[in-house]
Amino acid sequence: MRIEAAFVISAASAKDLPRDGLAEIALVGRSNVGKSSLINALVRQRIARTSAAPGKTRLANVYRVRRGTSPAFHLVDLPGYGYARGDRGELEAIARAYFEVARPFQGRDRGAESPALPSVAALLLVDARHPGLPNDIEAWRWLHAAVDRAAIVATKIDKLSRAERQRATKTNDAVFDAPVLPVSAVTGEGLDELWKLIDQMTRR
Ligand code: GDP
């Protein structure tokens, strides 16, 4: 299937965000979780920079994507949050800046008074090798409560043995009240399923 993808903007604040009302999928995850690699694998182009120098403050990088005959949508790459320990509240700051300040009426609060505002869905990316990290659990709690359509994706699944996969699945089932979709940007595993999920999430 033909995929068109283009970088739109590195938004420093809400006023830089597109206002064309396209549906959005916002990607959230720890730094190094494999967000850029997954974006590139999904659109089969190197539009997102992998392992870009951290520290540059921004609100979001926005890409416009269109697959086959489906309507175009925006992939919104939010800044990565901290590593396994510390940085409590960092995700919340990143997520609040986007879901509450920049896109305040997304999801269930979208009223008739704001028809031009996009529907916003969120994908939480977790590293398949580190299931159940406290800050990922916290991130999911926050997203699940704040965003109508949210789902979890486990990256780098190619790095796990069969036994490790089973163990990770068990842990994920125990800590998340939602299914976790395993994917690999390297082997392409799970990308068809992820596209299906994205199609569902961007449909109004
Ligand atoms: P980001 O900081 O979340 O954007 O993460 P990157 O996409 O830059 O990936 C971080 C590191 O993980 C890089 O060295 C990638 O090559 C590696 N990586 C990302 N996705 C995968 C994957 O699916 N499989 C494997 N084996 N490595 C991956």
Side-chain angles (χ1 to χ4, degrees), residues 30-38 49-52 77 129 155-159 183-187:
R30 287 187 308 130
S31 309
N32 228 33
V33 72
K35 201 142 44 70
S36 314
S37 304
L38 186 60
R49 274 182 307 155
T50 57
S51 293
D77 180 11
R129 296 170 302 174
T155 60
K156 312 186 190 179
I157 193 68
D158 59 282
K159 292 200 175 196
V183 301
S184 167
V186 171
T187 64

Side-chain angles (χ1 to χ4, degrees), residues 78-158:
L78 297 185
Y81 53 94
Y83 289 84
R85 279 170 283 279
D87 291 324
R88 254 191 96 110
E90 193 186 1
L91 171 274
E92 198 169 322
I94 290 165
R96 268 187 200 285
Y98 200 76
F99 297 104
E100 291 185 359
V101 179
R103 295 302 199 203
F105 299 107
Q106 51 80 28
R108 67 191 128 234
D109 294 334
R110 222 145 51 92
E113 77 281 359
S114 54
L117 286 164
S119 83
V120 181
L123 285 179
L124 174 66
L125 273 49
V126 299
D127 191 321
R129 296 170 302 174
H130 308 295
L133 290 178
N135 56 6
D136 284 341
I137 295 173
E138 229 170 272
W140 177 244
R141 275 204 201 115
W142 197 94
L143 281 176
H144 196 42
V147 183
D148 247 6
R149 279 171 281 188
I152 311 170
V153 171
T155 60
K156 312 186 190 179
I157 193 68
D158 59 282

